[in-house]
């Protein structure tokens, strides 16, 4: 089974859904809170959140950035998205709407 490192700030924000998905999936994961902005150049696209997946045999790592990408990957991997593409699209639409709420809160 894979293990994960999740990098984000010590706030809920755009990373909270990924934290919840990792917890709900009951997988092995840790969180790192990089010093910002010093660590910015070391992150993919210079952004957080970042998810690092390590395979059980350590043969390969997957590094993902962008909150929606991470969420969709985890949701598909651990069966939180319906198999039916139309139903999955409706669920993903709701996720994208949540993004608007977060941006409104920040503003």
């Amino acid at each position: 089974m894979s293990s994960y490192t999740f990098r984000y700030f010590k706030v809920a924000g755009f990373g909270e859904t990924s934290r919840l998905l990792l917890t709900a999936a009951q997988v092995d994961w840790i969180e790192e809170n990089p010093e910002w902005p010093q660590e910015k150049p070391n992150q993919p696209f210079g952004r957080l959140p970042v998810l690092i997946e390590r395979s059980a045999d350590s043969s390969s790592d997957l590094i993902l950035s962008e909150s929606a990408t991470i969420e969709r990957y985890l949701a598909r991997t651990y069966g939180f998205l319906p198999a039916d593409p139309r139903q999955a699209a409706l669920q993903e639409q709701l996720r994208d709407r949540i993004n608007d709420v977060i941006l409104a809160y920040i503003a």
Side-chain angles (χ1 to χ4, degrees):
M1 180 179 274
S2 296
S3 64
Y4 299 90
T5 300
F6 183 68
R7 292 183 185 148
Y8 196 57
F9 306 107
K10 292 182 183 182
V11 298
F14 292 110
E16 192 63 18
T17 302
S18 295
R19 289 182 184 116
L20 294 171
L21 287 166
L22 289 162
T23 301
Q26 299 179 347
V27 295
D28 182 24
W29 72 284
I30 60 168
E31 182 166 342
E32 293 179 351
N33 307 112
E35 292 294 322
W36 209 256
Q38 299 89 326
E39 284 295 316
K40 183 176 181 165
N42 301 324
Q43 307 307 315
F45 307 112
R47 300 188 54 147
L48 293 177
V50 170
L51 180 73
I52 302 166
E53 178 181 14
R54 291 184 175 82
S55 60
D57 63 3
S58 300
S59 64
S60 65
D61 289 348
L62 173 65
I63 301 173
L64 294 175
S65 186
E66 300 298 332
S67 57
T69 302
I70 294 168
E71 291 168 17
R72 287 181 171 106
Y73 175 72
L74 291 171
R76 285 187 183 102
T77 300
Y78 294 104
F80 296 118
L81 278 178
D84 177 82
R86 294 178 75 164
Q87 292 299 315
L90 290 171
Q91 189 167 330
E92 290 177 38
Q93 173 182 255
L94 179 59
R95 181 265 168 233
D96 292 340
R97 183 67 182 120
I98 291 170
N99 200 36
D100 294 338
V101 172
I102 293 170
L103 289 173
Y105 177 75
I106 292 170

